[in-house]
Amino acid sequence: MSTPHYHHLQQYFSGLIASQQLVSGSKLPSEREIGEQFKLTRVTIRQALKNLEAEGLIYRQNRRGWFVSPAAVIYHPASHLSFNLYVTEQGFSPSTEKLAQQIEPANEHIAQLMNMPVGNPVLYLHRRRYIDQRPVLIEKMYINQNLLPGIEEEDLTESLSQILKRKYQQEYRDMDLSFKSTSLPAHAANDLGIAAGQPGLQIERINYTSHKQVLEVDYEFWRHDAVTINIAIRD
């Protein structure tokens, strides 16, 4: 039985990436150019590219084409290091863009988590985070203003953990975390500039004060190829 054409094309680009003839951030030829070079149909080309994407070797940006994926950042969920700090420590350049910020009434779920009446005002924050200018993470978070009065006046593109220390002399203590591999919902995929339904990692985090009060509830949506979860357990 002959090997499918898409498999040969997949191996070709895998080899170029492994040998660093195509390096992190390099743009692949367009699908039309690949088709002309290898005399392959667009269906065959897309199958090979989708397989490479599933392996985390390449990624697609809407209207821009295919690129070689950079190394994934390592995330240690048991630590309280800020995004900016652990990304910088690994040799990457982080940045944050605020997409929306508004004070809104807490819905039943958020109110229950924060132990407050339904409708109590909370600060909603929607951010897009970048590693080396590549959008990798969407955050949607709800911040307890009762514990952090005036937080809405701060520059919320900055590290929230740093704002906590500087302005409120507080720091994160306990944390509840849940992870699940998922298809990115349309709202997160659109914010990341990729097609809806792409694989991703969803993280739900609840951060507490030292007095067991909920400071924030955070929902994160990561590109699947941008992050590696690392959990170390010691006796």
Side-chain angles (χ1 to χ4, degrees), residues 62-218:
N62 287 345
R63 298 181 295 277
R64 294 190 61 213
W66 293 92
F67 297 83
V68 177
S69 299
V73 69
I74 298 173
Y75 172 48
H76 301 271
S79 76
H80 289 281
L81 292 180
S82 70
F83 173 85
N84 288 344
L85 186 56
Y86 70 74
V87 170
T88 300
E89 285 185 347
Q90 294 175 51
F92 301 105
S93 177
S95 58
T96 301
E97 178 184 7
K98 185 173 67 177
L99 300 178
Q101 173 185 326
Q102 62 190 42
I103 297 173
E104 60 181 51
N107 61 32
E108 186 174 352
H109 179 63
I110 296 298
Q112 183 178 14
L113 291 175
M114 292 188 173
N115 192 29
M116 63 173 57
V118 174
N120 200 76
V122 294
L123 179 64
Y124 169 71
L125 181 61
H126 180 188
R127 303 194 295 186
R128 177 164 48 215
R129 313 200 81 163
Y130 298 78
I131 296 176
D132 291 348
Q133 301 183 327
R134 178 193 182 204
V136 298
L137 162 64
I138 299 301
E139 282 185 322
K140 296 191 174 186
M141 56 201 331
Y142 298 86
I143 300 173
N144 190 339
Q145 288 183 288
N146 292 340
L147 301 179
L148 304 172
I151 185 69
E152 72 279 2
E153 299 170 4
E154 298 296 313
D155 178 3
L156 297 180
T157 63
E158 294 182 15
S159 164
L160 291 181
S161 61
Q162 294 301 312
I163 294 174
L164 280 179
K165 290 179 181 179
R166 172 175 52 79
K167 182 169 183 175
Y168 301 97
Q169 291 75 54
Q170 293 198 53
E171 60 184 29
Y172 297 128
R173 284 294 184 92
D174 294 340
M175 179 193 305
D176 293 334
L177 276 172
S178 65
F179 303 83
K180 67 177 178 180
S181 178
T182 185
S183 295
L184 288 173
H187 65 85
N190 183 64
D191 287 342
L192 290 170
I194 58 181
Q198 293 293 310
L201 177 67
Q202 182 176 335
I203 300 175
E204 297 182 11
R205 177 190 293 104
I206 303 174
N207 280 314
Y208 297 84
T209 68
S210 57
H211 301 294
K212 309 300 183 184
Q213 296 172 295
V214 174
L215 278 170
E216 67 184 39
V217 179
D218 187 10

